[in-house]
């Protein structure tokens, strides 16, 4: 017996000694399908906090205690592996991709969660998918790829931004843009980011997922997480592309012969022209000489040129087990289609993470972005209207300031030296620092300090003979602004598992300080035009204005995530916000939300189902608030006005046109969301379907007041809106062979937007085009039937018209046309639905991505369809098919030298058109150099690619064959198509 106890004691002692002895295990990790090394794989000794990650070569080294240790390998998008060390000293591991992506980690507000455990409506986009489409703005790369997110670009000029709307328009006067969070800090523009710096982008859409951000998240939230460093050997990446941009679709103008014919018809209508012999009567001598000499100028051809876009980004990921760093530099040069339209962006990013001991981690993220922008005053408005007769330059090649001695300055005037200059310098700095403490298992205490610092200045000079001044004295302006947003946040997260129950508790305190000031100065007729906008001290009629703006937001929030057996999920959130923008008695409001989900596929009755491999049902409901209005809307202010006694000027003040409202409170939205997530045939096909219904009340609305009040506008909490819609996302792995793979993604979005209530129970506000039952922006006008034709003289005469005039509908059949009874809602710029279809093919080292986007059912009101000079003085677009006795068109009325287009009866009814379009948004062909070719070099991977962005667009209306309907109506700064060649390499 004694021997037995001695043996047992010796065995335990040897076991303890064995466990206490550590040894180094090395290894390498790669993808089981592609063989590519995996960088940044998390390796943890199970049951301990000891861990490391794979380096740039996929290699790792870790100290393990004894032979019984178990290593846990975890990597986003791959199946987790556990390996018992045993007697191994080296481990070669091939990790299999998690095709279901259910274990992917999704970033949510103040934390992360596995995709399988999501209860809200959140879409995650990986950084590599965003970088597929070379673009100056990462948001352009996901256009149409995220259901419920409407992204458009309204201008083709260099540095122009994008418009983004999530699940429709809720507010009428207040802002509707989503909250953008970059590395935990509120940020203004994603245009500052290079797509290759982004690790992931999450779009939070429903009230449950956005509730943790309170009032800031009322219009949806976009969370961007940038890349972090990895331990081991440094990995250097180089990403570069160069592209040529061209005019996508732009309305052409009438050439000389068409212009002359329109002038003739305008004078023919009034009996002043009968044949070309009468041309001398209707054209001045210079015009007549140009016609005889066949001298015509197409100013569009002289102004529009090919542009370019080029980007160069280098990134470095490196670190040790305790210190990890990511550093990148980026240069973007974008040259517009117009001369002197150019933007240069320089940016630098540094992300650091430092482990201090076992329990404490600190780090920072910093980005600095510098813009140098030449802003071109768009000359096309002038070029599209000016007479095409005559030459732009004289025989010596000098610009003719006033062609044909007319009154309109040459559209090329601003391109001459020191005639026009507008330059902007913008600096944006994003700083974020954190401290994180993990004193107990499952407990995380974290503090974040974020700062968003911005400075910008814009100077503009317009000489006497610039387009803007057109003979007036030169004028210069100079404006500058400074702003800073400071965000201080403290939050605590506690995770606990008790048998089948899992809890995550989160508590948050947030303080947001927003400050800005600006100055604007102007002067006229300065001494030297070469001083541009720098010599305002030497100018006349000087004017200076300054402004200051401040607002604060204090918030407290709590959230619980609960899971029972991993299949019954609950998320409940409550947040209290206090805003300085609102009335003193209404600063604070409470915004609750809750969401539940049921993982049906985890139930026994579906566990081994061969068709349904994944199924989750979810429902959420919550209330969000918005204070997205100008600060000081509760206050009435004074403004200085010109006044005098007799001939003596004296200072005088009056109330500003906008009067303050001391009762302003929160705009609120109640949103419910029902969703289904399903996977079929071992998740070869996956789909997410969401139906939502949001009701907004107490709208922060700018209400017009009677002029007799002495003020014109007040912001009040009146009116209601509603948005309801359906979102569908389907992904399928169509073919998976040894060398060939084919995947497809399909998105569909339909949103029905309507105003449900207006002030005082009114059914309409015609002045602002607001109508109960219609979207926020509706077109209200006469309904054009066509043009009165020959043979309809008697019927036209009943309405005081004649053949060649615009024929509109008599909606109430009272025998007369009036604005009260004979106007209706013509349409809205909101699409009935939008969607995208993306196909990705890979064959060995080749990859092909084709993406098609559609926006269907919108009505647009383009400027070019109203650019019709009925008097024949200025030019018109070739899309104008006007009526003559020989051309009985039903499109546009007969030209008439005595009536301008603005004075033409019912001219406002012209130009509405179906703006539906389908666009080949992107096609990319890439080639990755095989590893065996470069394996002996310092190069780890090289991919070459060519991309065509917006190469083809189909419009339902033939009228839009020369117009890009994405922008909605404007024709300034034409939209572009871009052809690029690029390189992605790692070293």
């Amino acid at each position: 017996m004694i021997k037995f106890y001695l043996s047992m004691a010796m065995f335990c002692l040897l076991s303890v000694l064995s466990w206490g002895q550590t040894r180094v295990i090395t290894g390498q990790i790669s993808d089981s399908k592609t063989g590519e090394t995996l960088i940044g794989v998390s390796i943890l000794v199970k049951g301990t906090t000891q861990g490391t990650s794979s380096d740039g070569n996929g290699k790792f080294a870790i100290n393990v205690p004894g032979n019984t240790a178990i290593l846990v390998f975890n990597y986003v998008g791959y199946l987790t592996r556990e390996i018992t060390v045993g007697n191994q000293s080296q481990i070669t591991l091939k990790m299999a991709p998690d095709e279901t992506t259910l274990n992917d980690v999704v970033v949510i507000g103040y934390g992360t969660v596995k995709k399988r455990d999501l209860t809200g409506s959140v879409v995650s986009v990986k950084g590599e998918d965003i970088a597929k489409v070379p673009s100056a703005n990462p948001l352009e790369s996901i256009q149409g790829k995220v259901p419920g997110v409407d992204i458009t670009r309204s201008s083709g000029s260099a540095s122009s931004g994008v418009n983004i709307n999530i699940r429709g328009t809720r507010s009428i006067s207040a802002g509707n843009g989503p909250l953008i969070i970059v590395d935990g800090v509120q940020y203004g523009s994603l245009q500052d980011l290079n797509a290759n710096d982004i690790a992931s982008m999450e779009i939070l859409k429903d009230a449950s997922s956005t509730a943790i951000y309170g009032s800031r998240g009322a219009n949806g939230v976009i969370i961007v997480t940038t890349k972090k460093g990895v331990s081991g050997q440094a990995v250097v990446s180089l990403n570069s592309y160069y592209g040529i941009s061209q005019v996508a679709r732009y309305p052409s103008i009438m050439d000389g012969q068409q212009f002359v014919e329109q002038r003739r018809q305008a004078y023919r209508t009034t009996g002043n022209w009968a044949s070309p012999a009468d041309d001398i009567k209707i054209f001045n001598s210079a015009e007549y000489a140009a016609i005889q000499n066949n001298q015509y100028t197409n100013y569009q051809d002289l102004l529009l040129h090919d542009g370019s876009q080029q980007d160069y980004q280098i990134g470095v990921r490196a670190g040790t087990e305790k210190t990890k760093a990511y550093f990148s530099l980026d240069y973007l040069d974008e040259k517009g289609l117009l001369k002197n339209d150019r933007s240069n962006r320089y940016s630098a990013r540094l992300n650091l993470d430092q482990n201090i001991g076992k329990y404490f981690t600190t780090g920072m993220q910093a980005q600095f972005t510098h813009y140098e922008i030449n802003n071109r005053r768009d000359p096309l408005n002038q070029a599209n209207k000016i007479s095409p007769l005559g030459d732009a330059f004289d025989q010596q090649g000098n610009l003719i300031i006033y062609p044909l001695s007319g009154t309109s300055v040459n559209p090329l005037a601003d391109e001459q030296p020191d005639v026009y200059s507008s330059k902007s310098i913008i600096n944006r700095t994003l700083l974020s620092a954190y401290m994180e403490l993990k004193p107990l298992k499952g407990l995380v205490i974290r503090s974040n300090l974020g700062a968003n610092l911005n400075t910008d200045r814009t100077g503009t000079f317009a000489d006497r003979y610039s387009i803007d001044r057109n003979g007036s004295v030169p004028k210069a302006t100079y404006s500058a602004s400074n702003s800073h947003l400071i965000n201080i946040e403290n939050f605590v997260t506690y995770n606990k598992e008790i048998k089948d129950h899992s809890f995550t508790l989160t508590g948050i305190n947030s303080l947001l300080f927003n400050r800005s000031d600006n100055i604007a100065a102007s002067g006229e007729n300065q001494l030297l035009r070469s001083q541009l906008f720098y010599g305002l001290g030497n100018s006349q009629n000087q004017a200076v204005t300054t402004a200051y703006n401040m607002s604060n937001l204090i918030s407290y929030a709590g959230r619980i995530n609960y899971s029972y057996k991993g299949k019954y999920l609950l998320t409940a959130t409550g947040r209290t916000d206090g805003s300085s923008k609102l009335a003193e008695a209404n600063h604070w409001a409470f915004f609750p939300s809750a969401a539940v989900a049921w993982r049906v596929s985890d139930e026994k009755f579906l566990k081994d189902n061969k068709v349904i491999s994944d199924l989750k049902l979810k429902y959420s409901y919550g209330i969000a608030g918005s204070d997205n209005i100008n600060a000081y809307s509760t206050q009435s202010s004074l403004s200085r006005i010109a006044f005098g006694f007799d001939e003596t000027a004296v200072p005088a003040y009056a109330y500003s046109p906008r009067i303050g409202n001391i009762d302003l409170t929160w705009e609120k939205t109640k949103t419910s969301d029902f969703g289904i997530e399903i996977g079929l045939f071992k998740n070869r096909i996956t789909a997410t379907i969401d139906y939502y219904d949001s009701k907004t009340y107490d709208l922060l609305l700018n209400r017009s007041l009677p002029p007799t009040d002495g003020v014109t506008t007040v912001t009040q909490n009146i009116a209601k809106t509603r948005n309801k819609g359906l979102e569908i996302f389907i992904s399928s792995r169509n073919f998976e062979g040894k060398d060939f793979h084919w995947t497809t993604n399909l998105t569909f979005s339909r949103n029905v937007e309507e105003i449900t209530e207006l002030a005082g129970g009114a059914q309409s506000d015609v002045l602002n085009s607001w109508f109960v039952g219609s979207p926020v922006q509706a077109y209200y006008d006469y309904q054009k039937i066509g043009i009165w034709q020959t043979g309809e003289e008697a019927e036209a005469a009943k309405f005081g018209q004649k053949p060649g005039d615009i024929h509109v509908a008599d909606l109430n059949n009272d025998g007369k046309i009036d604005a009260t009874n004979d106007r209706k809602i013509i349409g809205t710029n909101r699409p009935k639905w939008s969607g995208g279809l993306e196909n990705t093919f890979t064959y060995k080292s080749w990859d092909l991505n084709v993406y098609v986007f559609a926006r269907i059912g919108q009505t647009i009101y383009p400027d070019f369809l109203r650019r019709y000079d009925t008097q024949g003085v200025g030019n018109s677009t070739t899309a104008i098919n006007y009526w003559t006795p020989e051309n009985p068109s039903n499109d546009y009325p007969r030209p008439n030298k005595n009536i301008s287009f603005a004075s033409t009866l019912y001219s406002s009814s012209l130009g509405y058109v179906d703006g539906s379009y389908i666009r080949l948004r992107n096609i990319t062909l890439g080639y990755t150099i095989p590893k065996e070719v470069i394996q002996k070099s310092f190069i780890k991977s090289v991919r070459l690619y060519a991309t065509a962005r917006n190469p083809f667009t189909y419009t339902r209306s033939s009228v839009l064959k020369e117009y890009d309907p994405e922008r909605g109506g404007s024709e300034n700064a034409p939209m572009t198509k871009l052809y690029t060649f690029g390189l992605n390499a790692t070293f």
Side-chain angles (χ1 to χ4, degrees):
M1 193 70 175
I2 295 175
K3 288 184 178 180
F4 173 77
Y5 284 117
L6 288 174
S7 299
M8 289 297 297
M10 183 64 69
F11 175 78
C12 292
L13 178 60
L14 290 174
S15 297
V16 170
L17 291 173
S18 174
W19 178 261
Q21 295 173 351
T22 62
R23 58 197 182 92
V24 178
I25 301 296
T26 61
Q28 186 168 23
I29 310 171
S30 61
D31 185 297
S32 63
K33 282 191 173 184
T34 65
E36 293 187 11
T37 56
L38 297 181
I39 304 170
V41 176
S42 172
I43 303 117
L44 187 71
V45 179
K46 190 172 183 178
T48 73
T49 59
Q50 184 177 351
T52 185
S53 58
S54 59
D55 63 17
N57 294 315
K59 296 181 179 180
F60 70 92
I62 187 171
N63 290 321
V64 299
N67 298 329
T68 59
I70 298 174
L71 294 182
V72 181
F73 297 82
N74 191 16
Y75 194 57
V76 174
Y78 288 77
L79 296 173
T80 301
R81 293 284 304 275
E82 293 189 5
I83 295 179
T84 302
V85 173
N87 294 322
Q88 300 178 85
S89 61
Q90 187 171 6
I91 296 175
T92 300
L93 177 64
K94 295 184 180 296
M95 295 188 71
D98 183 359
E99 303 292 1
T100 67
T101 71
L102 293 179
N103 290 317
D104 280 2
V105 176
V106 177
V107 178
I108 58 175
Y110 305 98
T112 59
V113 66
K114 288 184 178 180
K115 185 178 179 181
R116 60 172 286 122
D117 296 332
L118 274 175
T119 56
S121 183
V122 180
V123 176
S124 180
V125 184
K126 295 180 180 178
E128 54 263 34
D129 293 330
I130 298 172
K132 281 183 181 178
V133 183
S135 176
N137 191 317
L139 286 175
E140 287 190 83
S141 301
I142 64 170
Q143 183 188 43
K145 296 183 180 181
V146 180
V149 179
D150 189 22
I151 299 172
T152 59
R153 187 173 183 177
S154 57
S155 170
S157 64
S159 76
S160 63
V162 298
N163 306 310
I164 181 168
N165 189 285
I166 298 178
R167 290 188 168 180
T169 300
R170 282 159 289 277
S171 297
I172 296 179
S173 298
N176 283 283
L179 171 69
I180 296 174
I181 302 291
V182 178
D183 292 329
V185 180
Q186 181 173 326
Y187 201 58
S189 175
L190 289 180
Q191 191 164 352
D192 296 347
L193 299 183
N194 183 290
N196 294 289
D197 285 338
I198 297 176
S200 70
M201 178 187 294
E202 274 75 23
I203 296 94
L204 284 56
K205 298 184 289 185
D206 70 318
S208 171
S209 58
T210 64
I212 198 68
Y213 289 103
S215 60
R216 292 188 294 159
N219 298 315
V221 181
I222 298 176
I223 302 177
V224 175
T225 304
T226 59
K227 293 179 179 178
K228 294 182 178 295
V230 294
S231 62
Q233 185 178 2
V235 179
V236 180
S237 61
L238 173 65
N239 301 284
S240 175
Y241 69 84
Y242 179 85
I244 300 295
S245 58
Q246 298 176 339
V247 175
R249 295 155 70 99
Y250 193 74
S252 58
I253 52 178
M254 291 183 175
D255 59 25
Q257 290 294 341
Q258 293 170 321
F259 173 79
V260 168
E261 182 61 25
Q262 183 172 318
R263 172 82 65 89
R264 289 169 175 171
Q265 292 298 330
Y267 278 78
R268 177 192 177 188
T269 301
T270 58
N272 299 103
W273 184 91
S275 70
D278 293 326
D279 283 351
I280 192 66
K281 300 177 183 178
I282 65 174
F283 294 98
N284 63 36
S285 58
E287 292 174 328
Y288 187 76
I291 296 171
Q292 299 304 308
N293 295 325
N294 200 32
Q295 294 176 331
Y296 305 127
T297 299
N298 186 319
Y299 287 98
Q300 283 187 2
D301 289 346
L302 296 176
L303 288 166
L304 293 173
H305 313 280
D306 286 350
S308 65
Q309 189 176 114
Q310 53 186 318
D311 184 76
Y312 306 92
Q313 188 260 4
I314 186 169
V316 180
R317 303 177 73 181
T320 64
E321 291 186 21
K322 291 189 174 182
T323 305
K324 297 179 178 63
Y326 174 75
F327 175 71
S328 74
L329 294 172
D330 176 57
Y331 169 66
L332 173 69
D333 178 18
E334 188 173 4
K335 182 180 178 182
L337 302 174
L338 297 167
K339 188 178 179 181
N340 298 330
D341 176 22
R342 192 164 190 170
S343 172
N344 290 284
R345 184 187 75 191
Y346 308 83
S347 64
R349 167 167 286 276
L350 176 63
N351 294 348
L352 291 175
D353 297 279
Q354 176 68 47
N355 293 327
I356 302 175
K358 294 183 179 180
Y359 309 111
F360 189 71
T361 304
T362 187
M364 63 165 289
Q365 295 84 36
Q367 175 167 308
F368 175 74
T369 307
H370 173 77
Y371 287 94
E372 295 180 4
I373 303 174
N374 280 336
N375 306 292
R376 175 69 190 272
R377 190 269 193 212
D378 193 298
L380 291 169
N381 182 54
Q382 182 87 336
N384 293 337
K385 295 187 299 186
I386 196 171
S387 168
L389 300 178
D391 294 327
F393 299 91
D394 61 23
Q395 294 181 353
Q396 287 74 42
N398 299 313
L399 186 75
I400 301 173
I401 302 299
Y402 289 99
L404 299 177
S405 302
T407 59
S408 296
V409 73
N410 195 314
L412 298 165
D414 288 356
E415 296 183 355
Q416 311 312 303
D418 293 338
V419 170
Y420 182 86
S421 178
S422 180
K423 297 183 178 181
S424 298
I425 302 293
I426 302 173
N427 294 305
R428 296 194 184 111
T429 303
L430 176 65
L431 299 172
S432 174
Y434 73 91
M435 294 183 293
E436 187 174 275
L437 179 65
K438 297 180 179 178
L440 301 172
K441 182 181 180 181
L443 179 63
V444 179
I445 303 172
R446 182 173 174 130
S447 292
N448 290 344
L449 172 62
N452 191 345
L453 312 175
N454 301 318
T455 64
D456 69 82
R457 70 96 172 134
T458 298
T460 301
F461 170 75
D463 194 29
R464 181 183 302 274
Y465 295 114
S466 63
I467 296 175
D468 283 340
R469 302 308 290 167
N470 194 22
S472 299
V473 296
K475 184 175 182 178
T477 62
Y478 190 97
S479 62
S481 66
N482 298 279
S483 67
H484 69 261
L485 184 148
I486 306 297
N487 194 183
I488 302 173
E489 292 182 324
N490 304 290
F491 60 95
V492 178
T493 302
Y494 181 65
N495 296 288
K496 183 67 176 179
E497 293 186 7
I498 304 175
K499 294 184 178 180
D500 293 331
H501 305 273
S502 176
F503 301 87
T504 301
L505 303 176
T506 305
I508 302 161
N509 165 238
S510 174
L511 295 89
L512 199 70
F513 304 94
N514 202 344
R515 306 284 191 279
S516 67
D517 61 77
N518 62 73
I519 182 171
S522 64
E524 296 179 340
N525 207 23
Q526 61 194 63
L527 292 177
L528 300 172
R529 71 177 189 175
S530 60
Q531 292 179 332
L532 302 177
F533 44 81
Y534 299 107
L536 287 180
N538 298 324
S539 63
Q540 303 169 352
N541 301 324
Q542 298 175 7
V544 178
T545 60
T546 59
Y548 174 78
N549 192 294
M550 177 201 67
S551 63
N552 300 324
L553 185 74
I554 302 176
S555 307
Y556 302 93
R559 180 178 64 200
I560 179 172
N561 296 86
Y562 168 73
S563 170
Y564 176 66
K565 292 186 175 181
K567 55 186 177 182
Y568 307 112
L569 310 170
L570 167 69
T571 301
T573 306
R575 176 156 174 150
T576 297
D577 282 342
S579 172
S580 65
K581 294 182 180 180
L582 304 174
E584 186 173 353
N586 301 323
H587 283 330
W588 293 92
F590 178 68
F591 306 109
S593 76
V596 292
W598 175 27
R599 289 198 50 78
V600 187
S601 54
D602 287 355
E603 299 289 357
K604 291 183 179 180
F605 59 84
L606 278 181
K607 198 69 175 178
D608 298 317
N609 192 287
K610 295 182 179 180
V611 177
I612 301 175
S613 45
D614 183 61
L615 178 62
K616 180 168 68 175
L617 306 179
K618 56 185 181 179
Y619 175 78
S620 67
Y621 178 83
I623 300 175
S626 175
D627 66 341
N628 201 353
I629 55 173
N630 294 328
Y632 315 120
S633 293
T634 60
Q635 302 177 16
S636 299
S637 60
L638 297 176
S639 60
R640 187 169 181 170
I641 60 174
F643 200 74
F645 290 104
D646 295 326
E647 297 182 358
T648 304
V650 296
Y653 299 88
Y655 278 113
S656 294
R658 177 186 296 275
I659 193 171
N661 180 359
I662 60 173
D663 296 319
L664 275 184
T665 188
W666 292 89
E667 176 180 291
K668 295 183 179 180
T669 300
K670 297 178 180 179
T671 301
S672 58
D673 184 294
F674 177 74
I676 301 174
E677 296 178 10
I678 188 169
L680 304 174
F681 310 110
K682 295 183 179 180
N683 288 329
R684 287 291 294 268
I685 301 174
T686 60
T688 302
I689 303 172
D690 278 278
Y691 173 80
Y692 60 89
D693 190 352
S694 62
K695 300 175 182 179
T696 305
Y697 57 100
D698 289 340
L699 262 71
L700 292 164
L701 187 67
N702 291 331
R703 186 177 182 182
S704 299
L705 299 175
T708 52
D709 289 342
V711 290
T712 61
T713 310
V714 63
T715 302
Q716 291 182 313
N717 292 102
I718 51 177
K720 298 178 181 179
T721 61
R722 184 180 185 182
N723 283 271
K724 55 184 178 180
L726 179 68
E727 301 169 353
I728 301 174
F729 178 81
I730 301 174
S731 180
S732 67
R733 304 196 308 275
N734 306 318
F735 189 89
E736 292 184 324
K738 179 181 179 182
D739 296 322
F740 179 71
H741 300 266
W742 172 25
T743 61
T744 298
N745 292 329
L746 173 69
T747 60
F748 174 86
S749 303
R750 174 172 170 78
N751 180 75
V752 178
E753 171 190 317
E754 63 176 332
I755 298 172
T756 57
E757 184 179 305
L758 287 170
Q763 293 300 300
S764 63
D765 184 333
V766 176
L767 182 64
N768 291 301
S769 293
W770 297 334
F771 303 92
V772 172
S774 295
V776 169
Q777 184 171 344
Y779 297 117
Y780 182 73
D781 213 329
Y782 298 100
Q783 181 182 350
K784 174 177 167 285
I785 296 176
I787 304 297
W788 289 106
Q789 299 295 326
T790 302
E792 298 178 332
E793 288 86 353
E795 185 67 21
K798 295 178 182 179
F799 297 92
Q801 294 182 274
K802 60 185 182 300
D805 291 343
I806 301 172
H807 183 187
V808 298
D810 179 11
L811 296 180
N812 65 345
N813 296 313
D814 63 353
K816 61 180 180 179
I817 305 296
D818 64 85
T820 302
N821 300 301
D822 295 310
R823 289 189 294 171
K824 61 177 289 189
I825 297 174
I826 304 297
T828 175
N829 66 349
R830 307 301 196 250
K832 291 183 179 179
W833 65 270
S834 62
L837 178 66
E838 182 179 32
N839 283 284
T840 302
F841 309 88
T842 60
Y843 177 71
K844 294 186 176 179
S845 297
W846 293 91
D847 61 89
L848 174 67
N849 179 269
V850 181
Y851 177 56
V852 178
F853 173 71
R855 187 179 170 95
I856 306 297
Q858 62 180 355
T859 298
I860 63 174
Y861 197 42
D863 293 345
F864 83 97
L865 291 180
R866 296 178 47 76
R867 185 163 33 83
Y868 175 32
D869 193 326
T870 55
Q871 296 174 298
V873 177
N875 207 352
S876 303
T877 177
T878 55
I880 304 298
N881 181 22
Y882 55 80
W883 187 94
T884 68
E886 296 77 22
N887 181 46
S889 165
N890 268 303
D891 297 334
Y892 285 83
R894 187 175 189 177
N896 189 323
K897 83 171 187 69
N898 293 332
I899 303 176
S900 68
F901 181 72
S903 300
T904 298
L905 198 59
Y906 314 128
S907 63
S908 64
S909 68
L910 301 173
Y912 297 105
V913 64
D914 184 348
S916 302
Y917 67 93
I918 300 174
R919 164 172 288 160
L920 179 56
R921 174 64 175 160
N922 174 71
I923 179 168
T924 299
L925 178 64
Y927 177 75
T928 301
I929 297 177
K931 282 190 173 294
E932 54 267 23
V933 176
I934 57 175
Q935 64 182 353
K936 294 183 179 180
S937 70
F938 66 94
I939 302 174
K940 298 188 180 301
S941 67
V942 177
R943 177 177 176 266
L944 305 172
Y945 66 90
T947 297
R949 194 178 76 190
N950 301 336
F952 174 78
T953 301
Y954 164 80
T955 54
R956 178 182 289 173
S957 173
S958 60
V959 177
L960 299 178
K961 63 183 179 181
E962 291 187 322
Y963 182 74
D964 190 328
E966 179 180 341
R967 59 196 322 203
S970 172
E971 58 178 334
N972 292 333
M975 299 290 276
T976 61
K977 50 187 176 182
L978 181 68
Y979 302 95
T980 61
F981 297 91
L983 165 72
N984 305 125
T986 58
F987 308 93

